[in-house]
Amino acid sequence: MHRKVITYSRNVFLPLTHVCQNACGYCCFRQATGAGCVLPPDEAHRTIDTGARLGCTEALFTFGERPGEVPGFSDHLAALGYADILDYCYDLCLYAIRAGVLPHTNAGILTAAELERFREVNASMGLMLETTADVPAHRHSPGKDPAVRIEMIEEAGRLRIPFTTGLLIGIGETPADREESLEVIADLQRRYGHIQEVIIQNFCPKEGTDMGNAAPASSEEMAGTISLAREILPREVAVQIPPNLADAERLIRCGVDDLGGVSPLTIDYVNPEHPWPQIEGLKKIVGDAALRERLCIYPRFIEMGWYSDTIAPLIHRLQKEIEERSL
């Protein structure tokens, strides 16, 4: 009998800015424009270099959606020599590749041309669908329009970008909404084959936000949604939970395949009050299953050649190193 395998990626988390055009009712990541609102290049470089020395294989670039639309932000970015946050991120992707770490960018809504450009310097990319429902928490967030997000995920499929998406549980959606969201993702996968993992993430109330007093998603809701995801999604799509948020040791038995990116260096800037478990902690979470490290691009996409020439040598080197470590 084969042991179930649970995978994870070793990463560094680089929030390039917390400035965002969206104002979601549950978010504590978003901050106002001001001094220090852009991660300085030397700090980003140090983080990437240290992560590489610690064996990290993924540089997770995250930033607020379209921060240039927020008054005053462009002045702070211009002080670093950039007119657009995407240009800054692109250069940091190149730096990460030279340092031996594969970029994975979550930039919010991007156009087809922007996705195509970033495909050259990213092993994978991501955008949380969150929900197909129209919820009050998104009333001030133009980028959270479900149709807009679905369109971008579809565009990533046309471009053959290995992709991560997911649901945020407990932000005002119903069980029927969760089922609809999973069906939408499953349909996109059947048409384009580009979705490598779907995150089932539980909403955690943040003090000072509009939903700060709302009830968090329960373990029962999470368990039911994970089971539903495993039932609806094609088998090749991994179901992921964040091990620092959910009751992972309990939920792992509901159909979880992956624990996402875990960092030995950086915190979870989206949920800073929840520290990452370290590798020994992951082994406890998976119990009798086998824990296996992976890259941010899944093996089947490597086999199909779904990556650019720019990152091909690094992908193959890191894949070989991971395989040797797992022997």
Side-chain angles (χ1 to χ4, degrees), residues 210-229:
D210 291 348
M211 293 183 67
N213 295 319
S218 68
S219 291
E220 289 71 25
E221 288 177 293
M222 286 292 289
T225 308
I226 291 165
S227 297
L228 187 64

Side-chain angles (χ1 to χ4, degrees), residues 39-55:
L39 184 71
D42 58 348
E43 186 176 338
H45 295 167
R46 281 197 303 272
T47 299
I48 292 166
D49 291 339
T50 304
R53 288 195 296 272
L54 292 173

